[in-house]
Amino acid sequence: MINFTVGPVQSTEEVRKIGAENVPYFRTQEFSEIMFENERLMKKFAFAEENAKVVFLTGSGTASMEAAVMNVLTKNDKALIINGGSFGQRFVNICKIHKIPYYEIKLEAGQNITQKELEEIPNEDFSALLVNANETSTGVHYDLQLLSDFCKEHSMTFIVDAISSFLADIIDMKTMGIDVLMTGSQKALACPPGISVMVLSEKAVNKIYANEVESLYFDLKPALEDAKRGQTPFTPAVGILLQINARLKAIDEAGGVEAEHRKIAALADDFRNKIKGMPFEIFTEALSPAVTPVRPTSAKAYDIFLTLKDEYGIWICPNGGELSDIVFRVGHIGDLTIEDNDKLIEALQDMQKRGLV
Ligand SMILES: *Cc1c(COP(=O)(O)O)cnc(C)c1O
């Protein structure tokens, strides 16, 4: 099997070996040291300010999205949400559930945000902006610089779901003024699902301490207190935190986030070049190296996904809902190589000969 989905993705052998071990007890100084190192490397790769803090939540990426809204925002906030697909819609749903006033900028599938959309919003005092760096459902990588400038101009709290973007794109929290940056273990961190990570600016941390949260598990104050000694309030997914540690150290030794970004970008460029001349169009112009959304011009996207999986042992990522017949996505994150790309291209060419593409 070769896995080109956007998560869970393929892990290195080093990471997989840790998954085969017994999970150790964690209320120890040894585990605390690993957590301190995880925090240090996450901050380094997110270009976070020195006073930034990191929370490792046991849950999938959505746990961080919900925790961010619950802990950093209050009913006195007015949130602006960029909604161009199912992950933008998720922020809308979360704000609705937690009764955070919001306004959504609705974008067409595949559309980037521009100055024009920002000029058309109502003239209200928005206090926070929520965006998915990559709207993974359509592969759009939003113009974060534009949004960063907008947040600075209006002194807004800047909350970025970088769950599929972290390590694939270079995102500089400090320069962009990002207050919450989130990722998940099963995306470019290339570990099993189960841990969601939040990097928090000093401003976000202060907001969390000033806020009362009606939840035991999602209240980040005890998590921030325990993190001071390298611990978590509840039993975390200990094994995955050990895998994350191995992975973060391997990235650091191989040249850091810049090198990882270059590796992913090289795989993405290679794939995009190799599909030129095939009956495919790329669904958006605003691309991240993390994923290529592909629109087949003479076959149904979902059928291509099924045939690749069932007859070639290759997994790409199907789309749900309205786009399921129109777009499939090819991820470039995880332990993949140019040779893997070649195998995918060969399979697609073979399907083309069989009239299936
Ligand atoms: C994968 C992903 C998530 C999180 O999804 P989970 O299934 O909860 O891990 C959130 N936002 C984006 C942009 C994603 O790509």
Side-chain angles (χ1 to χ4, degrees):
M1 180 194 85
I2 311 176
N3 180 356
F4 289 95
T5 69
V6 285
V9 300
Q10 296 187 165
S11 305
T12 58
E13 196 182 344
E14 185 192 13
V15 166
R16 282 185 282 129
K17 271 191 182 153
I18 296 167
E21 300 283 326
N22 272 321
V23 175
Y25 180 67
F26 68 105
R27 299 286 188 208
T28 61
Q29 193 53 41
E30 287 81 358
F31 186 70
S32 291
E33 293 302 331
I34 284 170
M35 291 300 280
F36 286 138
E37 192 169 41
N38 284 349
E39 172 161 49
R40 181 177 66 79
L41 290 171
M42 279 301 306
K43 278 170 65 173
K44 180 175 175 185
F45 297 160
F47 303 89
E49 63 191 14
E50 203 172 319
N51 290 336
K53 298 277 182 266
V54 181
V55 169
F56 296 87
L57 271 179
T58 293
S60 78
T62 306
S64 281
M65 295 172 74
E66 186 158 19
V69 170
M70 290 169 76
N71 284 268
V72 178
L73 303 183
T74 72
K75 293 180 178 67
N76 297 326
D77 276 293
K78 178 114 202 200
L80 191 60
I81 305 174
I82 314 297
N83 181 3
S86 51
F87 291 107
Q89 184 62 41
R90 193 164 298 177
F91 268 139
V92 171
N93 296 348
I94 292 170
C95 285
K96 221 181 264 177
I97 286 171
H98 295 287
K99 302 189 173 63
I100 305 296
Y102 67 89
Y103 177 85
E104 54 182 309
I105 300 184
K106 275 269 203 185
L107 299 171
E108 297 291 322
Q111 187 192 344
N112 200 352
I113 180 94
T114 65
Q115 189 64 36
K116 180 173 164 286
E117 285 80 33
L118 292 178
E119 278 163 10
E120 285 167 1
I121 60 175
N123 196 9
E124 292 170 40
D125 264 343
F126 290 102
S127 58
L129 189 143
L130 284 75
V131 67
N132 320 92
N134 293 342
E135 174 49 75
T136 322
S137 64
T138 58
V140 172
H141 181 64
Y142 291 123
D143 185 346
L144 289 187
Q145 191 56 53
L146 175 80
L147 298 174
S148 158
D149 293 343
F150 185 79
C151 283
K152 282 181 186 167
E153 191 187 334
H154 300 275
S155 305
M156 291 160 77
T157 303
F158 192 13
I159 298 178
V160 179
D161 159 7
I163 295 175
S164 66
S165 183
F166 178 70
L167 298 176
D169 305 290
I170 300 215
I171 303 183
D172 184 327
M173 275 185 85
K174 198 168 155 189
T175 308
M176 288 207 169
I178 295 172
D179 294 297
V180 183
L181 187 91
M182 298 163 245
T183 191
S185 54
Q186 83 275 27
K187 302 282 168 90
L189 274 172
C191 288
I195 289 286
S196 185
V197 193
M198 307 173 78
V199 187
L200 303 160
S201 73
E202 191 174 11
K203 174 177 161 187
V205 170
N206 290 339
K207 281 183 176 289
I208 291 166
Y209 276 104
N211 201 351
E212 283 303 320
V213 172
E214 286 181 30
S215 167
L216 181 91
Y217 201 81
F218 284 106
D219 185 356
L220 296 181
K221 288 188 284 296
L224 285 166
E225 283 303 306
D226 281 3
K228 290 178 184 166
R229 52 185 184 97
Q231 289 288 323
T232 53
F234 317 108
T235 309
V238 175
I240 296 167
L241 287 163
L242 298 180
Q243 289 172 305
I244 288 175
N245 185 252
R247 174 78 172 124
L248 289 173
K249 283 196 294 194
I251 293 169
D252 201 33
E253 279 156 23
V257 64
E258 292 88 351
E260 186 64 19
H261 160 73
R262 279 196 300 275
K263 175 193 168 263
I264 296 168
L267 285 170
D269 288 346
D270 177 69
F271 174 76
R272 290 166 195 172
N273 281 327
K274 284 175 180 160
I275 59 167
K276 280 184 186 147
M278 297 185 80
F280 297 132
E281 285 166 1
I282 294 180
F283 187 64
T284 180
E285 282 170 15
L287 286 167
S288 156
V291 57
T292 306
V294 181
R295 181 210 289 264
T297 50
S298 50
K300 283 189 175 169
Y302 199 81
D303 292 343
I304 295 177
F305 155 71
L306 285 178
T307 309
L308 279 172
K309 172 171 75 66
D310 296 337
E311 297 180 31
Y312 297 86
I314 295 177
W315 294 44
I316 55 171
C317 216
N319 265 70
E322 285 168 15
L323 289 176
S324 81
D325 282 338
I326 299 168
V327 176
F328 64 78
R329 293 162 297 158
V330 175
H332 308 294
I333 53 180
D335 192 35
L336 288 167
T337 62
I338 299 285
E339 292 72 45
D340 293 326
N341 276 354
D342 289 337
K343 286 180 191 144
L344 172 59
I345 296 294
E346 276 166 33
L348 289 168
Q349 284 168 344
D350 191 55
M351 284 173 64
Q352 205 177 350
K353 275 189 218 137
R354 295 169 62 201
L356 298 173
V357 149

